[in-house]
Amino acid sequence: MVVAYWIVAVLLGLLYLFAGGRKISQSQEQLAPMMGWVDTVPMPVVRLIGAVEILGAVGLILPPLTGIAPVLAIAAGAGFAVLQILAAALHLSRGEVKETGLNVPLILLAVVAAWLATAF
């Protein structure tokens, strides 16, 4: 279970560090080609989402690695599942059914990460 957790946590962590880093560092115009929804969400909210993604990635890795408050890894996994459910709802509300294709596996990986984190 521990090895499986680290595989899932590192994959999710890298993905969310990358995505969150882009959201907090790039302009709306730079983000728009890949994230069409940024035109309907205020940039401070986009930046907040990016910060949450980065903090969640840290929450998946550091607590189990250090042994300090490992329950935070469960919270990070659950938080990512909620984040992706909300993202899928946003896409569906915009009529972007095709764009929810990545949300579903990310929800599943986040739930798996939260479940596997119970091993710590």
Side-chain angles (χ1 to χ4, degrees):
M1 259 180 88
V2 172
V3 172
Y5 173 79
W6 284 114
I7 292 168
V8 172
V10 167
L11 288 173
L12 282 176
L14 289 172
L15 174 90
Y16 283 110
L17 279 175
F18 174 74
R22 288 189 67 188
K23 288 178 183 93
I24 65 170
S25 66
Q26 293 184 337
S27 69
Q28 186 176 26
E29 293 77 27
Q30 291 171 311
L31 292 172
M34 189 141 179
M35 302 173 202
W37 57 270
V38 298
D39 62 348
T40 58
V41 177
M43 277 312 287
V45 174
V46 174
R47 304 267 189 248
L48 177 65
I49 293 168
V52 166
E53 289 175 340
I54 290 169
L55 289 172
V58 170
L60 283 177
I61 304 298
L62 283 183
L65 189 64
T66 63
I68 299 170
V71 71
L72 292 176
I74 299 169
F80 280 141
V82 170
L83 179 73
Q84 287 305 315
I85 289 168
L86 294 172
L90 175 67
H91 287 304
L92 291 174
S93 74
R94 292 171 45 96
E96 301 169 341
V97 176
K98 200 167 67 168
E99 280 76 6
T100 61
L102 185 59
N103 298 119
V104 175
L106 288 176
I107 292 167
L108 294 174
L109 281 174
V111 168
V112 167
W115 175 69
L116 290 172
T118 62
F120 293 101

